[in-house]
Amino acid sequence: MSRLKILTFDTHLGKHGDTGTSELDVLRALHEGHAEAGTIGDLVWVNEQAAGHVNSGRVEVLWTTPGFDHCMFDAHPLVSAVKIEALSARFFAMRWDNPKHRRLLELEGLREWLPPREEGYRSLEAALKTN
């Protein structure tokens, strides 16, 4: 029976949310031999390959998940429906051809915001239930 050891990255402790370096930490650990496997998103993978930061002699793709929405927003149950709708309306009003909006969309790897779709998480839910 093999043993699994979880490698943690204590970067940017105290910050709210992902600061954007966690997936780069995973790639660094793989390249340096501190980890045998890790997970990163497709956008980071493609960008790091294009930048020449992936050594294919040390890092390879073992498995790719089915597609899923990488970022969905939710709100605390006490937040009013009016506030939720107002925020949603602002996201959905962003347009690629507006330079102020475009930069935000580019940072998320998007051309537009869409309503959340949870069906892409079915394979993850099934994997968690079987283990």
Side-chain angles (χ1 to χ4, degrees), residues 73-81 83-84:
F73 294 97
D74 202 353
H76 189 278
L78 296 179
V79 175
S80 74
K83 285 185 178 182
I84 293 170

Side-chain angles (χ1 to χ4, degrees), residues 45-119:
W45 177 249
V46 169
N47 287 340
E48 289 301 295
Q49 281 186 307
H53 297 158
V54 176
N55 178 343
S56 60
R58 296 199 54 91
V59 178
E60 65 178 310
V61 175
L62 299 176
W63 182 66
T64 301
T65 66
F68 64 93
D69 293 342
H70 81 284
C71 189
M72 289 191 254
F73 294 97
D74 202 353
H76 189 278
L78 296 179
V79 175
S80 74
V82 171
K83 285 185 178 182
I84 293 170
E85 287 300 318
L87 180 61
S88 297
R90 288 189 175 176
F91 277 118
F92 297 141
M94 289 185 180
R95 296 292 170 251
W96 181 257
D97 55 355
N98 180 326
K100 290 180 182 177
H101 298 171
R102 186 178 190 143
R103 180 66 184 134
L104 293 171
L105 292 166
E106 287 175 333
L107 288 169
E108 282 297 321
L110 305 173
R111 290 187 66 83
E112 67 179 321
W113 289 99
L114 299 171
R117 299 170 296 182
E118 296 183 15
E119 56 274 2

